[in-house]
Amino acid sequence: SAEGKVTASPDTAKIQLSVVTDGPTADEVQQKNSENINKVTDFIKSSGVGDTDIKTTYYNLYPKYDYVNGRQISAGYTLSQTLEVKIRDLKKTGGILTGAVARGANQVSGVEFFVDDPDNLKAQAREQAFGKAQAKAQELAKLAQVRLGKVITFSESSFGQPPIFYEKALGIGGGGPSPDIQSGSQEITVSVNVVFEIR
C-alpha cells in the first residue's frame, strides 16, 4: 500500500449571489427583483464570465403575514432568486463580488475555490503512489529473500481536499474596496493497494 499526493492551486471560484426583494404585491416584487437580477447578470457577463458559467439555482416567491389581535393579515410578498457563478479568472473574484452587490445582490452565501478538472492531478498522484508501492514491495522482497513477479491485482481510492469556503457577510451596501480573497491550495491524494506475485 502507498499514497501519492499532489498539491495544486485552485483555478476556479464558485459564488452564490442572491437578490431578495420585498413588496406589497407579487407583480411589483417580481418586476423589481427581475430588474436587479438582470443588472447583476449583465455585470457578471461584462466581467468576462460566460453564459454557461451562470446558472439560476433558486427562485422562490412567497407571501408574508403579520398577526394582529390573533388575526392573520397579509404583509406583502418576498421573492428570492439565486445565481451560481463560476469564475475562471480568480483575480476577478473580489471585483465581481463587490460589483454584484453594488448592482442589487443583497445576499452572498460564500466563495468556494477548487480545481475544475482534477483528472490530470489524479494521474500524477496515481503514478507517484504506484511507484512508492513498487519500491516498498521490492524492499520487502529483498528482506524476505524472494523475487517479485508480475502484479496480480491492484486497487485505488482517491480523494481531494474539501473545497475552500469563505463565508462573507457581503449582503449590505456595496461600492467599497473589493475584498481580498485568497484561494489557497488544494491536495489531491490517491491511495493504491498492489498485490505482487512472489517467486
Side-chain angles (χ1 to χ4, degrees):
S1 300
E3 183 179 275
K5 184 182 297 183
V6 176
T7 302
S9 297
D11 56 17
T12 308
K14 185 188 294 181
I15 59 177
Q16 305 279 342
L17 300 167
S18 299
V19 174
V20 181
T21 306
D22 294 313
T25 67
D27 288 343
E28 184 176 332
V29 164
Q30 285 181 306
Q31 182 177 347
K32 186 176 178 182
N33 193 276
S34 295
E35 290 173 358
N36 286 335
I37 203 76
N38 289 341
K39 289 178 186 177
V40 171
T41 303
D42 289 344
F43 167 73
I44 293 169
K45 290 180 179 179
S46 72
S47 299
V49 178
D51 291 350
T52 57
D53 289 331
I54 304 171
K55 178 172 65 174
T56 298
T57 57
Y58 184 77
Y59 188 98
N60 189 22
L61 173 66
Y62 54 93
K64 299 189 301 177
Y65 298 98
D66 286 334
Y67 290 88
V68 179
N69 298 324
R71 294 177 56 207
Q72 180 176 282
I73 299 174
S74 175
Y77 291 82
T78 297
L79 174 58
S80 178
Q81 185 171 351
T82 301
L83 296 177
E84 179 183 278
V85 181
K86 277 187 179 181
I87 303 171
R88 300 184 187 277
D89 185 350
L90 297 185
K91 293 179 292 185
K92 295 181 177 180
T93 305
I96 288 176
L97 281 170
T98 302
V101 170
R103 286 159 179 80
N106 48 14
Q107 285 188 8
V108 180
S109 59
V111 182
E112 171 190 347
F113 291 99
F114 59 97
V115 176
D116 193 42
D117 184 7
D119 288 346
N120 183 51
L121 297 175
K122 285 182 181 178
Q124 294 178 43
R126 182 184 300 114
E127 184 176 353
Q128 186 186 118
F130 204 91
K132 287 181 179 179
Q134 197 163 29
K136 189 186 292 186
Q138 289 171 346
E139 183 181 347
L140 291 171
K142 183 178 179 181
L143 290 172
Q145 297 182 345
V146 297
R147 288 188 301 128
L148 290 181
K150 62 184 179 180
V151 173
I152 300 173
T153 62
F154 67 90
S155 62
E156 72 166 72
S157 59
S158 62
F159 52 95
Q161 186 185 65
I164 305 162
F165 289 94
Y166 290 88
E167 293 296 335
K168 294 288 183 180
L170 297 175
I172 300 175
S178 298
D180 183 17
I181 298 176
Q182 303 298 319
S183 60
S185 62
Q186 187 170 6
E187 290 181 349
I188 303 293
T189 303
V190 174
S191 297
V192 297
N193 292 295
V194 187
V195 178
F196 292 88
E197 182 183 59
I198 294 178
R199 294 177 178 173

